Amino acid sequence: DAGVIQSPRHEVTEMGQEVTLRCKPISGHDYLFWYRQTMMRGLELLIYFNNNVPIDDSGMPEDRFSAKMPNASFSTLKIQPSEPRDSAVYFCASSFRGQGTYEQYFGPGTRLTVT
Amino acid sequence: AQSVAQPEDQVNVAEGNPLTVKCTYSVSGNPYLFWYVQYPNRGLQFLLKYITGDNLVKGSYGFEAEFNKSQTSFHLKKPSALVSDSALYFCAVRAASGNTPLVFGKGTRLSVIA
């Protein structure tokens, strides 16, 4: 398996623009997680899905952030409008309940810079 | 509520010396415990986990961790550090029962000096 795939790997955009981050989880995994990592705040869980359904979005910082999972093999995290404080590395991770331990597998991340 | 504490932001160790990265946790019931490593510009990679059984867990790259229930700790150890072990290490926990996701610590940066 190719592992969790994220695109783009790097994104530079101007303040006010819409940003869409994409994630393809490992085939067969039924949980998908979006994280944000910054030096100041560390690793933060933004939202997670189970079987394509959002379970907990309490970590989403504000209404400018939204996430969708239209099917088992694709998810997006959208920021509209983007702000400089959104600059961070965004990780997607997936896991499989059948393992019984919920071990998560992480993608390589998208480094977002908002100028 | 579940929580993880990594009391050290930074650990420095000389190459060849043993290393320890500390982790304590809080969870209702039995825990599942994990260690992940993050190299520069990479995602988090799984190192090892404790689910049940032997309190000493062995993982990738010569790392091991000891589960101590009375002290609610899960410290990461390696007998002889390598420069290539320099990275950011995360401890994570979840309750064995229920469907809650992993809760990660803030991470400890390990620097191994040649």
PDB file of all heavy atoms in Angstrom, chain A residues 31-58:
ATOM      1  N   TYR A  31     -11.223   5.150   9.711  1.00  0.00           N
ATOM      2  CA  TYR A  31     -11.110   6.403  10.447  1.00  0.00           C
ATOM      3  C   TYR A  31     -10.132   7.312   9.704  1.00  0.00           C
ATOM      4  O   TYR A  31      -9.085   6.863   9.210  1.00  0.00           O
ATOM      5  CB  TYR A  31     -10.578   6.177  11.868  1.00  0.00           C
ATOM      6  CG  TYR A  31     -11.601   5.674  12.857  1.00  0.00           C
ATOM      7  CD1 TYR A  31     -11.922   4.330  12.930  1.00  0.00           C
ATOM      8  CD2 TYR A  31     -12.245   6.558  13.720  1.00  0.00           C
ATOM      9  CE1 TYR A  31     -12.861   3.877  13.833  1.00  0.00           C
ATOM     10  CE2 TYR A  31     -13.187   6.107  14.636  1.00  0.00           C
ATOM     11  CZ  TYR A  31     -13.482   4.763  14.687  1.00  0.00           C
ATOM     12  OH  TYR A  31     -14.415   4.306  15.593  1.00  0.00           O
ATOM     13  N   LEU A  32     -10.483   8.607   9.678  1.00  0.00           N
ATOM     14  CA  LEU A  32      -9.596   9.588   9.072  1.00  0.00           C
ATOM     15  C   LEU A  32      -9.508  10.810   9.978  1.00  0.00           C
ATOM     16  O   LEU A  32     -10.530  11.268  10.502  1.00  0.00           O
ATOM     17  CB  LEU A  32     -10.094  10.005   7.681  1.00  0.00           C
ATOM     18  CG  LEU A  32      -9.168  10.964   6.920  1.00  0.00           C
ATOM     19  CD1 LEU A  32      -9.058  10.564   5.455  1.00  0.00           C
ATOM     20  CD2 LEU A  32      -9.603  12.402   7.058  1.00  0.00           C
ATOM     21  N   PHE A  33      -8.297  11.293  10.149  1.00  0.00           N
ATOM     22  CA  PHE A  33      -8.036  12.394  11.082  1.00  0.00           C
ATOM     23  C   PHE A  33      -7.302  13.523  10.346  1.00  0.00           C
ATOM     24  O   PHE A  33      -6.444  13.270   9.508  1.00  0.00           O
ATOM     25  CB  PHE A  33      -7.139  11.916  12.232  1.00  0.00           C
ATOM     26  CG  PHE A  33      -7.643  10.706  12.956  1.00  0.00           C
ATOM     27  CD1 PHE A  33      -7.403   9.435  12.461  1.00  0.00           C
ATOM     28  CD2 PHE A  33      -8.356  10.834  14.132  1.00  0.00           C
ATOM     29  CE1 PHE A  33      -7.861   8.305  13.115  1.00  0.00           C
ATOM     30  CE2 PHE A  33      -8.819   9.711  14.806  1.00  0.00           C
ATOM     31  CZ  PHE A  33      -8.573   8.449  14.301  1.00  0.00           C
ATOM     32  N   TRP A  34      -7.634  14.746  10.713  1.00  0.00           N
ATOM     33  CA  TRP A  34      -6.889  15.923  10.257  1.00  0.00           C
ATOM     34  C   TRP A  34      -6.250  16.593  11.475  1.00  0.00           C
ATOM     35  O   TRP A  34      -6.929  16.873  12.471  1.00  0.00           O
ATOM     36  CB  TRP A  34      -7.796  16.922   9.558  1.00  0.00           C
ATOM     37  CG  TRP A  34      -8.150  16.582   8.147  1.00  0.00           C
ATOM     38  CD1 TRP A  34      -9.314  16.045   7.682  1.00  0.00           C
ATOM     39  CD2 TRP A  34      -7.334  16.790   6.990  1.00  0.00           C
ATOM     40  NE1 TRP A  34      -9.270  15.891   6.322  1.00  0.00           N
ATOM     41  CE2 TRP A  34      -8.063  16.351   5.873  1.00  0.00           C
ATOM     42  CE3 TRP A  34      -6.051  17.305   6.787  1.00  0.00           C
ATOM     43  CZ2 TRP A  34      -7.566  16.399   4.569  1.00  0.00           C
ATOM     44  CZ3 TRP A  34      -5.556  17.351   5.499  1.00  0.00           C
ATOM     45  CH2 TRP A  34      -6.316  16.903   4.409  1.00  0.00           C
ATOM     46  N   TYR A  35      -4.930  16.855  11.361  1.00  0.00           N
ATOM     47  CA  TYR A  35      -4.171  17.512  12.413  1.00  0.00           C
ATOM     48  C   TYR A  35      -3.498  18.753  11.845  1.00  0.00           C
ATOM     49  O   TYR A  35      -3.233  18.861  10.652  1.00  0.00           O
ATOM     50  CB  TYR A  35      -3.060  16.600  12.948  1.00  0.00           C
ATOM     51  CG  TYR A  35      -3.503  15.387  13.713  1.00  0.00           C
ATOM     52  CD1 TYR A  35      -3.793  14.197  13.067  1.00  0.00           C
ATOM     53  CD2 TYR A  35      -3.615  15.428  15.102  1.00  0.00           C
ATOM     54  CE1 TYR A  35      -4.172  13.071  13.777  1.00  0.00           C
ATOM     55  CE2 TYR A  35      -3.993  14.306  15.828  1.00  0.00           C
ATOM     56  CZ  TYR A  35      -4.271  13.133  15.158  1.00  0.00           C
ATOM     57  OH  TYR A  35      -4.649  12.022  15.870  1.00  0.00           O
ATOM     58  N   ARG A  36      -3.179  19.653  12.766  1.00  0.00           N
ATOM     59  CA  ARG A  36      -2.391  20.827  12.423  1.00  0.00           C
ATOM     60  C   ARG A  36      -1.201  20.869  13.376  1.00  0.00           C
ATOM     61  O   ARG A  36      -1.369  20.655  14.585  1.00  0.00           O
ATOM     62  CB  ARG A  36      -3.235  22.095  12.554  1.00  0.00           C
ATOM     63  CG  ARG A  36      -2.486  23.368  12.258  1.00  0.00           C
ATOM     64  CD  ARG A  36      -3.410  24.566  12.241  1.00  0.00           C
ATOM     65  NE  ARG A  36      -3.953  24.903  13.540  1.00  0.00           N
ATOM     66  CZ  ARG A  36      -4.736  25.964  13.758  1.00  0.00           C
ATOM     67  NH1 ARG A  36      -5.059  26.764  12.754  1.00  0.00           N
ATOM     68  NH2 ARG A  36      -5.194  26.196  14.965  1.00  0.00           N
ATOM     69  N   GLN A  37      -0.018  21.169  12.843  1.00  0.00           N
ATOM     70  CA  GLN A  37       1.172  21.237  13.676  1.00  0.00           C
ATOM     71  C   GLN A  37       1.858  22.580  13.508  1.00  0.00           C
ATOM     72  O   GLN A  37       2.170  22.990  12.394  1.00  0.00           O
ATOM     73  CB  GLN A  37       2.167  20.111  13.335  1.00  0.00           C
ATOM     74  CG  GLN A  37       3.371  20.060  14.264  1.00  0.00           C
ATOM     75  CD  GLN A  37       4.310  18.922  13.932  1.00  0.00           C
ATOM     76  OE1 GLN A  37       4.505  18.561  12.784  1.00  0.00           O
ATOM     77  NE2 GLN A  37       4.890  18.318  14.968  1.00  0.00           N
ATOM     78  N   THR A  38       2.083  23.265  14.625  1.00  0.00           N
ATOM     79  CA  THR A  38       2.837  24.511  14.646  1.00  0.00           C
ATOM     80  C   THR A  38       3.839  24.440  15.784  1.00  0.00           C
ATOM     81  O   THR A  38       3.691  23.643  16.717  1.00  0.00           O
ATOM     82  CB  THR A  38       1.923  25.730  14.853  1.00  0.00           C
ATOM     83  OG1 THR A  38       1.263  25.592  16.126  1.00  0.00           O
ATOM     84  CG2 THR A  38       0.875  25.843  13.766  1.00  0.00           C
ATOM     85  N   MET A  39       4.828  25.297  15.705  1.00  0.00           N
ATOM     86  CA  MET A  39       5.821  25.341  16.781  1.00  0.00           C
ATOM     87  C   MET A  39       5.173  25.759  18.092  1.00  0.00           C
ATOM     88  O   MET A  39       5.492  25.229  19.155  1.00  0.00           O
ATOM     89  CB  MET A  39       6.944  26.309  16.410  1.00  0.00           C
ATOM     90  CG  MET A  39       7.833  25.827  15.290  1.00  0.00           C
ATOM     91  SD  MET A  39       8.854  24.437  15.796  1.00  0.00           S
ATOM     92  CE  MET A  39       9.945  25.258  16.950  1.00  0.00           C
ATOM     93  N   MET A  40       4.250  26.704  18.001  1.00  0.00           N
ATOM     94  CA  MET A  40       3.676  27.261  19.216  1.00  0.00           C
ATOM     95  C   MET A  40       2.680  26.299  19.882  1.00  0.00           C
ATOM     96  O   MET A  40       2.646  26.182  21.102  1.00  0.00           O
ATOM     97  CB  MET A  40       2.964  28.579  18.894  1.00  0.00           C
ATOM     98  CG  MET A  40       3.913  29.698  18.521  1.00  0.00           C
ATOM     99  SD  MET A  40       5.004  30.142  19.894  1.00  0.00           S
ATOM    100  CE  MET A  40       3.814  30.790  21.059  1.00  0.00           C
ATOM    101  N   ARG A  41       1.863  25.636  19.094  1.00  0.00           N
ATOM    102  CA  ARG A  41       0.750  24.859  19.627  1.00  0.00           C
ATOM    103  C   ARG A  41       0.944  23.344  19.531  1.00  0.00           C
ATOM    104  O   ARG A  41       0.116  22.572  20.027  1.00  0.00           O
ATOM    105  CB  ARG A  41      -0.545  25.260  18.934  1.00  0.00           C
ATOM    106  CG  ARG A  41      -0.859  26.746  19.073  1.00  0.00           C
ATOM    107  CD  ARG A  41      -2.065  27.116  18.226  1.00  0.00           C
ATOM    108  NE  ARG A  41      -3.288  26.572  18.795  1.00  0.00           N
ATOM    109  CZ  ARG A  41      -4.081  27.221  19.639  1.00  0.00           C
ATOM    110  NH1 ARG A  41      -3.775  28.443  20.005  1.00  0.00           N
ATOM    111  NH2 ARG A  41      -5.171  26.658  20.108  1.00  0.00           N
ATOM    112  N   GLY A  42       2.036  22.936  18.884  1.00  0.00           N
ATOM    113  CA  GLY A  42       2.277  21.499  18.754  1.00  0.00           C
ATOM    114  C   GLY A  42       1.312  20.855  17.789  1.00  0.00           C
ATOM    115  O   GLY A  42       0.861  21.473  16.825  1.00  0.00           O
ATOM    116  N   LEU A  43       0.960  19.604  18.058  1.00  0.00           N
ATOM    117  CA  LEU A  43       0.083  18.821  17.185  1.00  0.00           C
ATOM    118  C   LEU A  43      -1.351  18.921  17.707  1.00  0.00           C
ATOM    119  O   LEU A  43      -1.640  18.520  18.829  1.00  0.00           O
ATOM    120  CB  LEU A  43       0.557  17.366  17.182  1.00  0.00           C
ATOM    121  CG  LEU A  43      -0.053  16.415  16.173  1.00  0.00           C
ATOM    122  CD1 LEU A  43       0.355  16.811  14.765  1.00  0.00           C
ATOM    123  CD2 LEU A  43       0.386  14.985  16.468  1.00  0.00           C
ATOM    124  N   GLU A  44      -2.248  19.425  16.885  1.00  0.00           N
ATOM    125  CA  GLU A  44      -3.634  19.617  17.284  1.00  0.00           C
ATOM    126  C   GLU A  44      -4.551  18.775  16.399  1.00  0.00           C
ATOM    127  O   GLU A  44      -4.436  18.827  15.175  1.00  0.00           O
ATOM    128  CB  GLU A  44      -4.064  21.076  17.103  1.00  0.00           C
ATOM    129  CG  GLU A  44      -3.245  22.105  17.855  1.00  0.00           C
ATOM    130  CD  GLU A  44      -3.680  23.507  17.444  1.00  0.00           C
ATOM    131  OE1 GLU A  44      -3.147  24.017  16.427  1.00  0.00           O
ATOM    132  OE2 GLU A  44      -4.545  24.093  18.124  1.00  0.00           O
ATOM    133  N   LEU A  45      -5.462  18.055  17.007  1.00  0.00           N
ATOM    134  CA  LEU A  45      -6.478  17.329  16.254  1.00  0.00           C
ATOM    135  C   LEU A  45      -7.589  18.293  15.860  1.00  0.00           C
ATOM    136  O   LEU A  45      -8.192  18.931  16.721  1.00  0.00           O
ATOM    137  CB  LEU A  45      -7.055  16.187  17.100  1.00  0.00           C
ATOM    138  CG  LEU A  45      -8.199  15.394  16.480  1.00  0.00           C
ATOM    139  CD1 LEU A  45      -7.747  14.690  15.204  1.00  0.00           C
ATOM    140  CD2 LEU A  45      -8.772  14.390  17.480  1.00  0.00           C
ATOM    141  N   LEU A  46      -7.850  18.395  14.573  1.00  0.00           N
ATOM    142  CA  LEU A  46      -8.872  19.326  14.089  1.00  0.00           C
ATOM    143  C   LEU A  46     -10.233  18.654  13.989  1.00  0.00           C
ATOM    144  O   LEU A  46     -11.231  19.169  14.486  1.00  0.00           O
ATOM    145  CB  LEU A  46      -8.464  19.871  12.720  1.00  0.00           C
ATOM    146  CG  LEU A  46      -7.146  20.636  12.655  1.00  0.00           C
ATOM    147  CD1 LEU A  46      -6.864  21.072  11.221  1.00  0.00           C
ATOM    148  CD2 LEU A  46      -7.167  21.831  13.584  1.00  0.00           C
ATOM    149  N   ILE A  47     -10.272  17.502  13.345  1.00  0.00           N
ATOM    150  CA  ILE A  47     -11.525  16.809  13.099  1.00  0.00           C
ATOM    151  C   ILE A  47     -11.212  15.359  12.762  1.00  0.00           C
ATOM    152  O   ILE A  47     -10.114  15.062  12.279  1.00  0.00           O
ATOM    153  CB  ILE A  47     -12.301  17.470  11.932  1.00  0.00           C
ATOM    154  CG1 ILE A  47     -13.679  16.822  11.723  1.00  0.00           C
ATOM    155  CG2 ILE A  47     -11.486  17.416  10.643  1.00  0.00           C
ATOM    156  CD1 ILE A  47     -14.560  17.572  10.707  1.00  0.00           C
ATOM    157  N   TYR A  48     -12.173  14.458  13.066  1.00  0.00           N
ATOM    158  CA  TYR A  48     -11.995  13.109  12.568  1.00  0.00           C
ATOM    159  C   TYR A  48     -13.315  12.511  12.104  1.00  0.00           C
ATOM    160  O   TYR A  48     -14.390  12.921  12.562  1.00  0.00           O
ATOM    161  CB  TYR A  48     -11.277  12.216  13.570  1.00  0.00           C
ATOM    162  CG  TYR A  48     -12.055  11.726  14.763  1.00  0.00           C
ATOM    163  CD1 TYR A  48     -12.662  10.470  14.761  1.00  0.00           C
ATOM    164  CD2 TYR A  48     -12.130  12.490  15.921  1.00  0.00           C
ATOM    165  CE1 TYR A  48     -13.329  10.002  15.871  1.00  0.00           C
ATOM    166  CE2 TYR A  48     -12.808  12.033  17.027  1.00  0.00           C
ATOM    167  CZ  TYR A  48     -13.401  10.790  17.011  1.00  0.00           C
ATOM    168  OH  TYR A  48     -14.074  10.334  18.118  1.00  0.00           O
ATOM    169  N   PHE A  49     -13.186  11.575  11.183  1.00  0.00           N
ATOM    170  CA  PHE A  49     -14.320  10.919  10.544  1.00  0.00           C
ATOM    171  C   PHE A  49     -14.276   9.414  10.843  1.00  0.00           C
ATOM    172  O   PHE A  49     -13.201   8.825  10.971  1.00  0.00           O
ATOM    173  CB  PHE A  49     -14.251  11.078   9.017  1.00  0.00           C
ATOM    174  CG  PHE A  49     -14.355  12.487   8.521  1.00  0.00           C
ATOM    175  CD1 PHE A  49     -13.248  13.319   8.505  1.00  0.00           C
ATOM    176  CD2 PHE A  49     -15.559  12.979   8.046  1.00  0.00           C
ATOM    177  CE1 PHE A  49     -13.339  14.625   8.030  1.00  0.00           C
ATOM    178  CE2 PHE A  49     -15.652  14.277   7.560  1.00  0.00           C
ATOM    179  CZ  PHE A  49     -14.547  15.094   7.557  1.00  0.00           C
ATOM    180  N   ASN A  50     -15.445   8.830  10.914  1.00  0.00           N
ATOM    181  CA  ASN A  50     -15.577   7.389  10.965  1.00  0.00           C
ATOM    182  C   ASN A  50     -16.559   6.979   9.876  1.00  0.00           C
ATOM    183  O   ASN A  50     -17.693   7.472   9.860  1.00  0.00           O
ATOM    184  CB  ASN A  50     -16.058   6.925  12.341  1.00  0.00           C
ATOM    185  CG  ASN A  50     -16.266   5.420  12.419  1.00  0.00           C
ATOM    186  OD1 ASN A  50     -17.204   4.944  13.045  1.00  0.00           O
ATOM    187  ND2 ASN A  50     -15.407   4.650  11.802  1.00  0.00           N
ATOM    188  N   ASN A  51     -16.121   6.102   8.997  1.00  0.00           N
ATOM    189  CA  ASN A  51     -16.980   5.688   7.883  1.00  0.00           C
ATOM    190  C   ASN A  51     -17.561   6.898   7.141  1.00  0.00           C
ATOM    191  O   ASN A  51     -18.764   6.941   6.847  1.00  0.00           O
ATOM    192  CB  ASN A  51     -18.088   4.764   8.369  1.00  0.00           C
ATOM    193  CG  ASN A  51     -17.554   3.422   8.806  1.00  0.00           C
ATOM    194  OD1 ASN A  51     -16.601   2.894   8.230  1.00  0.00           O
ATOM    195  ND2 ASN A  51     -18.133   2.854   9.851  1.00  0.00           N
ATOM    196  N   ASN A  52     -16.720   7.884   6.911  1.00  0.00           N
ATOM    197  CA  ASN A  52     -17.038   9.087   6.128  1.00  0.00           C
ATOM    198  C   ASN A  52     -17.897  10.089   6.881  1.00  0.00           C
ATOM    199  O   ASN A  52     -18.223  11.148   6.323  1.00  0.00           O
ATOM    200  CB  ASN A  52     -17.717   8.747   4.798  1.00  0.00           C
ATOM    201  CG  ASN A  52     -17.029   7.627   4.047  1.00  0.00           C
ATOM    202  OD1 ASN A  52     -15.852   7.372   4.262  1.00  0.00           O
ATOM    203  ND2 ASN A  52     -17.769   6.946   3.190  1.00  0.00           N
ATOM    204  N   VAL A  53     -18.253   9.814   8.109  1.00  0.00           N
ATOM    205  CA  VAL A  53     -19.121  10.700   8.881  1.00  0.00           C
ATOM    206  C   VAL A  53     -18.277  11.470   9.897  1.00  0.00           C
ATOM    207  O   VAL A  53     -17.504  10.845  10.636  1.00  0.00           O
ATOM    208  CB  VAL A  53     -20.212   9.902   9.621  1.00  0.00           C
ATOM    209  CG1 VAL A  53     -21.041  10.819  10.497  1.00  0.00           C
ATOM    210  CG2 VAL A  53     -21.090   9.152   8.625  1.00  0.00           C
ATOM    211  N   PRO A  54     -18.405  12.800   9.952  1.00  0.00           N
ATOM    212  CA  PRO A  54     -17.632  13.544  10.954  1.00  0.00           C
ATOM    213  C   PRO A  54     -18.117  13.199  12.362  1.00  0.00           C
ATOM    214  O   PRO A  54     -19.315  13.256  12.641  1.00  0.00           O
ATOM    215  CB  PRO A  54     -17.919  15.012  10.598  1.00  0.00           C
ATOM    216  CG  PRO A  54     -19.184  14.986   9.812  1.00  0.00           C
ATOM    217  CD  PRO A  54     -19.224  13.678   9.104  1.00  0.00           C
ATOM    218  N   ILE A  55     -17.173  12.856  13.221  1.00  0.00           N
ATOM    219  CA  ILE A  55     -17.507  12.443  14.581  1.00  0.00           C
ATOM    220  C   ILE A  55     -17.257  13.575  15.580  1.00  0.00           C
ATOM    221  O   ILE A  55     -18.053  13.803  16.482  1.00  0.00           O
ATOM    222  CB  ILE A  55     -16.691  11.201  14.997  1.00  0.00           C
ATOM    223  CG1 ILE A  55     -16.944  10.053  14.018  1.00  0.00           C
ATOM    224  CG2 ILE A  55     -17.026  10.789  16.426  1.00  0.00           C
ATOM    225  CD1 ILE A  55     -18.387   9.612  13.913  1.00  0.00           C
ATOM    226  N   ASP A  56     -16.144  14.247  15.423  1.00  0.00           N
ATOM    227  CA  ASP A  56     -15.799  15.303  16.369  1.00  0.00           C
ATOM    228  C   ASP A  56     -15.038  16.396  15.625  1.00  0.00           C
ATOM    229  O   ASP A  56     -13.946  16.141  15.114  1.00  0.00           O
ATOM    230  CB  ASP A  56     -14.941  14.740  17.504  1.00  0.00           C
ATOM    231  CG  ASP A  56     -14.639  15.776  18.585  1.00  0.00           C
ATOM    232  OD1 ASP A  56     -14.993  16.959  18.413  1.00  0.00           O
ATOM    233  OD2 ASP A  56     -14.058  15.384  19.609  1.00  0.00           O
ATOM    234  N   ASP A  57     -15.629  17.552  15.559  1.00  0.00           N
ATOM    235  CA  ASP A  57     -14.975  18.687  14.886  1.00  0.00           C
ATOM    236  C   ASP A  57     -14.662  19.796  15.888  1.00  0.00           C
ATOM    237  O   ASP A  57     -14.482  20.954  15.499  1.00  0.00           O
ATOM    238  CB  ASP A  57     -15.814  19.214  13.729  1.00  0.00           C
ATOM    239  CG  ASP A  57     -17.133  19.824  14.203  1.00  0.00           C
ATOM    240  OD1 ASP A  57     -17.440  19.733  15.414  1.00  0.00           O
ATOM    241  OD2 ASP A  57     -17.855  20.392  13.359  1.00  0.00           O
ATOM    242  N   SER A  58     -14.606  19.459  17.138  1.00  0.00           N
ATOM    243  CA  SER A  58     -14.403  20.481  18.176  1.00  0.00           C
ATOM    244  C   SER A  58     -13.026  21.144  18.083  1.00  0.00           C
ATOM    245  O   SER A  58     -12.815  22.212  18.632  1.00  0.00           O
ATOM    246  CB  SER A  58     -14.588  19.879  19.570  1.00  0.00           C
ATOM    247  OG  SER A  58     -13.658  18.833  19.791  1.00  0.00           O
TER     248      SER A  58
END
